[in-house]
Amino acid sequence: MGLKGKYTAQIAVVASAVALSLAAWGAAALTDTEATAQAGDGGKGRTPASQGTAPAQVPPVKMPESIAHAAEAGGSAVNITIDDGPDPRWTPKMLDILKENDVKAVFCMVGPRAQEYPALVKRVVAEGHRLCDHTVTHDTTMDKKSVAYQKQQILEAKKMIEDAAGGAKVEYYRAPGGAFTPDSRRIAAMSGMRPLGWNVDTKDFERPGTAAIVHTVKSELSNGPTILFHDGGGDRAQSVAALEQVLPWLKEQGHGFSFPVRSTP
């Protein structure tokens, strides 16, 4: 091969190498472009490693420590609150009645019950109701126990309920039997839950009869807007029947329905 032929061959080799390098660079650039496009397309495609970092946890907004009774909507609005569930027999019946009357309620749940029946918790959330922490063991003597015990009862139940709900937030805390303490209210408020009381105790957990439960609501509603029912802790047939009568009566009397306040009015 002559000198000219050697130069020609060398030029060809260099040209080939350059072509291969350009091809490799182009493929890499395309991959980066695709990754960027996929990341910007709602995460439908592959996410770049730099975007895989979990977002920082946002601390809950501290609520007022005072016990809430008022209705968010104000005026003549009332709040329906339902305690001690969820229960596979009674909670669905109450949910059906609330849905028929287009009424939203607060469900104050016992942690292990929520953990046992997550589908019911999810239904409560899906139908527009709010969640309330009613502790782990429903200990009505919590106000006589240590701060560490109160904290465990409140925060463990909150986690159980939120896990069962698929991440929906627990917005209130109600002490069993109203056994609030300054510490329990502070613990709840720091965790984003407003302490929640009641104005009308229907005493439905004592099963006094449907007529007696309805009468209590009618006679004690002047005490304030927050009404207490139960869907757990025993046979709640009377509670269900009373709720079915009370909701239409409240509407006939010109009452709307609301949720209890969370922030200070």
Side-chain angles (χ1 to χ4, degrees):
M1 179 183 297
L3 184 60
K4 184 178 179 180
K6 289 181 181 181
Y7 286 150
T8 302
Q10 289 173 351
I11 290 170
V13 170
V14 171
S16 178
V18 169
L20 288 172
S21 297
L22 288 171
W25 176 85
L30 179 60
T31 301
D32 289 342
T33 301
E34 289 174 342
T36 301
Q38 289 162 351
D41 191 27
K44 295 177 182 178
R46 184 172 52 196
T47 302
S50 62
Q51 296 188 9
T53 305
Q57 289 281 337
V58 178
V61 176
K62 184 182 183 300
M63 289 290 108
E65 296 180 20
S66 56
I67 299 172
H69 296 90
E72 283 183 343
S76 61
V78 299
N79 308 314
I80 303 297
T81 65
I82 303 173
D83 286 17
D84 294 359
D87 182 276
R89 182 173 184 183
W90 308 114
T91 305
K93 293 180 184 296
M94 287 195 158
L95 284 168
D96 289 345
I97 293 168
L98 290 165
K99 189 172 185 178
E100 288 166 9
N101 288 274
D102 193 24
V103 172
K104 307 303 179 189
V106 175
F107 283 80
C108 301
M109 298 184 176
V110 177
R113 301 288 290 176
Q115 196 173 48
E116 188 175 2
Y117 302 108
L120 280 178
V121 183
K122 289 181 175 66
R123 179 182 170 187
V124 165
V125 173
E127 295 186 6
H129 308 289
R130 290 185 184 177
L131 300 173
C132 174
D133 179 338
H134 208 34
T135 75
V136 175
T137 62
H138 197 274
D139 183 353
T140 57
T141 65
M142 274 184 63
D143 54 340
K144 308 294 192 296
K145 304 293 177 63
S146 69
V147 175
Y149 175 83
Q150 295 176 57
K151 185 175 183 179
Q152 172 263 327
Q153 285 281 314
I154 295 168
L155 297 187
E156 285 190 14
K158 179 177 185 287
K159 185 176 188 311
M160 289 178 183
I161 298 165
E162 289 181 345
D163 286 350
K169 296 302 178 186
V170 175
E171 301 189 53
Y172 306 92
Y173 163 67
R174 173 174 276 167
F180 287 101
T181 68
D183 289 306
S184 70
R185 291 189 285 109
R186 175 183 54 79
I187 290 163
M190 291 293 292
S191 302
M193 298 181 290
R194 179 72 186 266
L196 175 60
W198 61 80
N199 303 108
V200 180
D201 184 354
T202 63
K203 297 289 197 302
D204 61 333
F205 62 91
E206 296 177 355
R207 290 188 291 173
T210 299
I213 298 169
V214 173
H215 175 73
T216 298
V217 174
K218 292 181 178 181
S219 62
E220 295 187 10
L221 192 58
S222 59
N223 294 343
T226 301
I227 306 171
L228 171 61
F229 286 93
H230 291 79
D231 64 341
D235 186 332
R236 296 293 164 239
Q238 294 178 10
S239 303
V240 169
L243 185 68
E244 193 168 26
Q245 295 180 34
V246 162
L247 296 184
W249 178 83
L250 287 167
K251 289 184 176 182
E252 289 169 5
Q253 302 304 305
H255 293 284
F257 297 88
S258 181
F259 290 116
V261 293
R262 282 189 11 99
S263 59
T264 302

